[in-house]
Amino acid sequence: MAALPQISEAEFEVMKIVWKYAPVNTNEITEHLTRTTSWSPKTIQTLIKRLVNKGALSYEKQSRVFVYTPLVDMNEYIGQESSSFLNRFYDGNISKMLSAYIESDKLSENEIDTLRSLLNNKGEN
């Protein structure tokens, strides 16, 4: 498996829009992000350009606009980042991570019930 590009938090916000709406043009990306961030259109264009240079996005020119599609699969990227986080902070031990979240009240009762249900269903397979 090829290594996925390193994507900053700001670039990840752009990727979330592209993953959700692809194929999506520059104006649409800008419209979505100016509603949820304080970024200028120029900042957004810079982030898009970085993602193209990193190989996370491809584009094609359609008349006068650029249309973007992701080259990175969302689930694969999130899985990589989750594994990296788990390895970095919890020595790859998910039980350690969940214990830390539960002990510091980072998980609600509803989230704990959801996890319990997921684990129970996994055990039935």
Side-chain angles (χ1 to χ4, degrees):
M1 173 177 83
L4 299 175
Q6 291 291 325
I7 297 174
S8 70
E9 287 186 43
E11 292 164 346
F12 185 70
E13 291 302 312
V14 174
M15 288 301 296
K16 288 192 304 191
I17 299 299
V18 177
W19 282 321
K20 186 172 184 177
Y21 299 105
V24 60
N25 69 44
T26 308
N27 295 334
E28 293 166 328
I29 296 169
T30 301
E31 183 181 318
H32 286 289
L33 288 171
T34 54
R35 279 192 245 139
T36 59
T37 69
S38 60
W39 300 337
S40 72
K42 186 155 179 67
T43 297
I44 295 166
Q45 289 175 358
T46 298
L47 292 168
I48 292 169
K49 188 175 186 177
R50 285 184 191 163
L51 287 164
V52 168
N53 290 339
K54 289 180 176 188
L57 294 178
S58 68
Y59 68 92
E60 64 179 49
K61 191 169 185 181
Q62 294 181 357
S63 88
R64 300 186 81 199
V65 297
F66 290 96
V67 177
Y68 297 90
T69 54
L71 293 174
V72 172
D73 178 75
M74 181 178 72
N75 291 329
E76 188 177 352
Y77 182 77
I78 291 171
Q80 172 189 274
E81 290 301 301
S82 298
S83 292
S84 176
F85 174 83
L86 186 61
N87 287 330
R88 182 173 178 198
F89 295 103
Y90 298 98
D91 299 322
N93 186 326
I94 196 161
S95 297
K96 230 191 247 188
M97 181 188 78
L98 288 172
S99 292
Y101 273 76
I102 291 167
E103 289 169 12
S104 65
D105 293 325
K106 299 264 192 234
L107 295 176
S108 69
E109 286 300 320
N110 188 38
E111 290 169 322
I112 292 169
D113 289 342
T114 300
L115 285 170
R116 189 175 286 119
S117 176
L118 287 169
L119 291 169
N120 287 337
N121 289 338
K122 186 67 176 172
E124 294 170 2
N125 291 337

